Amino acid sequence: MTRYAALLRGVNVGGGRKMPMAELRAVLEELGHEDVRTYLQSGQAVFTAAGGDEEALAAELGAALEKRFAYACEVLVRDHAYLAGVVADCPFPAAELEGKQLHVTFLDRAVEEDRYAEVDREAFLPEEFRLGDRAVYLYLPDGMGRSKLAVQLSRPRPVKGLTATTRNWNTVLKLAELTAAP
C-alpha cells in the first residue's frame, strides 16, 4: 500500500469549477482507495492505494471526476517518496522563507532548461525559478499574487503541452507529511 497526493488543477479558484471536497473524497473512495483525506478547499487529497502507477491513478481519477462533475479536470498524482524528494531538493533556503514566498509548480513530466530559454531571468530579479524533478521551484519574495515572473512562466511557451499546477511551500510540506506512512 502506498500513500499518494492528488493535485487537481484549477478547482475552487476564481469562482468557477466548484468541487466540494466531500465529493472528491467520495470519488476517491468509490475508486477503491483508502484513508482518503482532503487538504484545504483548493483541490488536493491524499489516499492509500494498493498499486498502480501515478499516471494511471491520475487518469482514473480525472475520468471519474469528469463523469461526476461534467467538466474535465487535470490531475497529477505523486507518492510520498516524490514529495519528500521535492522538499529535500529545494534549491532555495526554505527554512529562512515564508511559505508565501516559495512555490512549486508540479509538472506531468520532466522538462529541459531550453523550454525557458526565452525568459529573461535577470529582468525578474529578485524573483527566481529553478527546475527540479518534474517541478519548477519559484522564489517570489512578494508572493504569487504580485509576481511578474509567475505570469511569465504561465504563458503558452513555457507550459505548452504540460499539465502544471502550483502549490505554496506550506502546502507542499503538508502534503509530504500527510503522505508519510502513519
Side-chain angles (χ1 to χ4, degrees):
M1 299 294 273
T2 304
R3 292 285 290 161
Y4 294 96
L7 306 169
L8 284 58
R9 184 176 180 274
V11 299
N12 297 341
V13 292
R17 295 176 28 135
K18 295 291 184 192
M19 184 179 296
M21 294 297 97
E23 289 192 49
L24 172 58
R25 287 190 300 275
V27 168
L28 283 160
E29 288 168 352
E30 289 165 10
L31 292 172
H33 304 310
E34 299 175 0
D35 304 317
V36 177
R37 293 178 60 188
T38 53
Y39 178 66
L40 302 174
Q41 296 294 315
S42 53
Q44 49 260 334
V46 295
F47 62 94
T48 301
D53 64 64
E54 293 172 342
E55 287 183 28
L57 290 166
E60 176 186 53
L61 179 56
L65 292 172
E66 184 171 4
K67 184 177 180 182
R68 173 74 62 96
F69 294 101
Y71 63 80
C73 179
E74 293 176 310
V75 178
L76 296 176
V77 172
R78 298 293 182 254
D79 67 15
H80 172 72
Y82 171 82
L83 292 168
V86 165
V87 171
D89 295 341
C90 181
F92 298 109
E96 300 170 18
L97 301 173
E98 295 177 43
K100 72 173 190 160
Q101 294 178 308
L102 187 56
H103 293 73
V104 178
T105 299
F106 293 95
L107 307 172
D108 63 332
R109 64 182 179 275
V111 296
E112 301 296 326
E113 284 283 343
D114 64 342
R115 180 177 280 267
Y116 302 95
E118 295 176 13
V119 177
D120 180 1
R121 293 177 186 232
E122 297 289 320
F124 295 100
L125 290 173
E127 297 183 338
E128 295 182 64
F129 73 96
R130 306 252 176 83
L131 298 184
D133 175 18
R134 296 176 290 159
V136 178
Y137 294 88
L138 302 163
Y139 168 61
L140 309 172
D142 295 322
M144 178 72 82
R146 297 183 176 152
S147 173
K148 292 180 179 166
L149 177 61
V151 170
Q152 181 67 31
L153 294 178
S154 67
R155 296 200 185 277
R157 168 74 175 123
V159 296
K160 184 177 181 178
L162 294 173
T163 297
T165 187
T166 303
R167 300 298 188 272
N168 71 38
W169 192 246
N170 292 335
T171 298
V172 172
L173 292 175
K174 189 64 175 182
L175 292 173
E177 174 189 319
L178 290 172
T179 56

